[in-house]
Every structure is written in structure tokens, then in C-alpha cells.
Amino acid sequence: MKALIFDVDGVIAETEEGHRLAFNRAFAEAGLDIEWSPELYERLLWVTGGKERIAHYLYHCPECPKLLDADIARLHRRKTELYNQIVASDEVPFRPGVQRLWREAREQGVKLAIATTTSLPNVEVLLRQAGEAVLGWFETIVAGDMVPQKKPAPDVYIQALTNLGLAPEEAVAIEDSHNGLVAAQRAGSPTLVTYSHYTREQRFEGAMAVLEHLGEPELPARVLAGPRSCATVVTLDVLRSWHRLAALRA
Ligand code: XBP
């Protein structure tokens, strides 16, 4: 196991509520009578990519205006600005165990990478919450429109692995959603799932393990599926043992 490839939204932090607020504020500014409730947003999250999500919603909304792609792109750029303001001004807490695992990886020479559908500015504003230097901890950040197809297509993971110079089975992906798990599996990397608020009802067949989060010594994580049944703190050593098990099963 030579690298950990992190998804962003829902894994590093519970950011989707911030995205939902940013979408709604952008709609209001544009004079669109659209308000995505948490219940609706949970369903819309099955469409990955903000621009794609807006287009999907408008297509299925008979009373909504039909916007051109350029209009949707402009609306999405404003949404990204609003999201960045939300993250920069509100303390968006990192999920348990994320920064601990990053520190362990740096101490033990395990590479770190990001593979996300969200837009690059959103990744940068979030990582900067942990300090300006944190952006440099990642050997590669593959985000948003850098690849032709978004998750559940494997493109973003294939690009991250290429940039790392690693074979798929040399890395472990950490995801929170079914689409993200499928993307990593299609790229060939064993995947740990830490489900999030918006993905807690989804299914995660084939994951190395499914936990409520990565755990901290004082806050072991409940394990829903995987080689252990007791509450667990996901350390690099635990990941290495699960990675070896996954390799035996492959
Ligand atoms: C989550 C997504 C993104 C975000 C919104 O990406 O699907 O679309 O919901 O961000 P991941 P954008 O789980 O891969 O981090 O509006 O920038 O797409």
C-alpha cells in the first residue's frame, strides 16, 4: 500500500450541506424560483457534478426555465464562489481521523492524493482550513472537470493513479458514496467507505470495509461491514492489513 486516495465531499468533511446552501443562494441571486430541500438534495446527489446536477434538475422541472449550457456554467461558477465564502467563513470541521491519517501517511512515506468530482477551488478552500501547507501534502489533486467523465466513471481515479505512478492495487481509495465506491472499484483500487450524512442509506457492496468514520483513539468508529466487527480506529497498520486481505481476495 503506497498511497491513500481521498474523496473530498463527505469524506474529508461533511460539506454537502454547504454545497446545498450555495446552490440555493445562486438560484435566488439569479431570480430562479428553485430551492433544493435536504430531502431533494439527497436524491439529486446521485447526479455527480454541480453543473450536471443543475441541468438534470432543470430537465425534470416542467415549470423551470430551460437554460443554455453557458448559463448553467455561469450559474455554477457563482455557486462555487458562494460555496467558497461559506467554507472560508464557517468552521467546517474535518471528519474524525482524517488529519490523523494524513499525518501518519506523511510520517511513514505513504503518498497522499485527492480524487474528487467537486471543483478545484472547493478542494483548496477546504484543505486550507487545516493550514496553508496542507495543500502541499498531496502529490496530486484530480478534481471536477479535469477528466472527461465524472464518478461513477473511473476517470478521476485512473488519472490520480497515473499521476502517482502507481498500479491500482498499490493504493487504497477512501470514499463516502456508492458512485465514488464504483468509480474506485472500476479503476481497480481497494476502497474503504466512511459513509456520510447524505450517503448513509446507500449500498456499498465490495468495499474493503464500511465504517461511520475513520475514528480517533478517544472515538473508535462503528464498523458496518469488513474484517473487524468491533469499533475501530483506522490507522495505517489497520489499512495495511485490510489492503493485504483485499489483495488475497482479488
Ligand atoms: C461530490 C460531488 C460534487 C459536489 C458539488 O464530489 O458530486 O458535485 O456535490 O461540487 P466528491 P461541484 O464526492 O467526488 O468529492 O458543484 O463543484 O460539482
Side-chain angles (χ1 to χ4, degrees):
M1 186 181 79
K2 297 179 179 170
L4 302 181
I5 307 178
F6 280 81
D7 169 41
V8 174
D9 294 304
V11 166
I12 294 177
E14 287 279 14
T15 52
E16 288 296 355
E17 193 53 13
H19 283 296
R20 183 180 73 86
L21 294 176
F23 279 112
N24 287 337
R25 288 180 189 170
F27 297 147
E29 279 190 7
L32 296 169
D33 183 18
I34 299 173
E35 171 94 12
W36 287 350
S37 67
E39 296 70 26
L40 172 58
Y41 193 64
E42 183 167 351
R43 294 197 301 278
L44 289 174
L45 272 172
W46 282 97
V47 179
T48 56
K51 292 191 291 296
E52 295 80 357
R53 195 168 300 145
I54 295 170
H56 169 88
Y57 177 80
L58 293 176
Y59 178 81
H60 292 280
C61 167
E63 67 275 12
C64 292
K66 297 306 168 212
L67 299 182
L68 298 173
D69 285 353
D71 298 326
I72 290 175
R74 184 166 52 252
L75 184 60
H76 185 254
R77 281 194 297 275
R78 180 56 182 150
K79 173 266 172 182
T80 298
E81 289 170 0
L82 291 163
Y83 174 78
N84 276 245
Q85 289 170 15
I86 289 167
V87 173
S89 58
D90 301 340
E91 183 56 34
V92 180
F94 279 31
R95 299 196 69 197
V98 168
Q99 294 188 76
R100 170 182 58 71
L101 207 51
W102 290 350
R103 286 193 297 272
E104 284 184 36
R106 286 171 54 76
E107 287 156 10
Q108 300 182 38
V110 173
K111 295 178 178 183
L112 291 172
I114 296 269
T116 176
T117 300
T118 196
S119 310
L120 184 59
N122 299 344
V123 183
E124 293 169 338
V125 72
L126 183 65
L127 292 182
R128 284 203 175 92
Q129 301 291 305
E132 192 60 38
V134 170
L135 269 165
W137 293 3
F138 294 84
E139 182 148 331
T140 184
I141 297 177
V142 185
D145 296 325
M146 293 181 189
V147 291
Q149 295 183 86
K150 292 184 168 71
K151 301 173 185 176
D155 301 33
V156 70
Y157 278 103
I158 291 169
Q159 188 60 59
L161 288 161
T162 302
N163 296 351
L164 289 166
L166 295 177
E169 62 276 6
E170 291 180 298
V172 166
I174 300 170
E175 272 285 354
D176 74 308
S177 69
H178 176 83
N179 277 337
L181 170 61
V182 170
Q185 287 172 326
R186 285 174 176 167
S189 291
T191 306
L192 170 68
V193 169
T194 54
Y195 60 87
S196 59
H197 169 72
Y198 275 112
T199 66
R200 66 199 181 284
E201 305 293 338
Q202 293 183 8
R203 298 173 61 84
F204 304 112
E205 274 76 15
M208 262 190 346
V210 181
L211 296 91
E212 61 179 332
H213 50 69
L214 291 171
E216 295 288 9
E218 68 282 359
L219 183 72
R222 219 157 38 92
V223 180
L224 264 70
R228 290 187 179 188
S229 55
C230 58
T232 296
V233 178
V234 180
T235 62
L236 271 189
D237 283 342
V238 167
L239 275 178
R240 287 191 184 95
S241 66
W242 290 352
H243 179 255
R244 277 194 296 273
L245 275 176
L248 291 174
R249 272 196 233 115

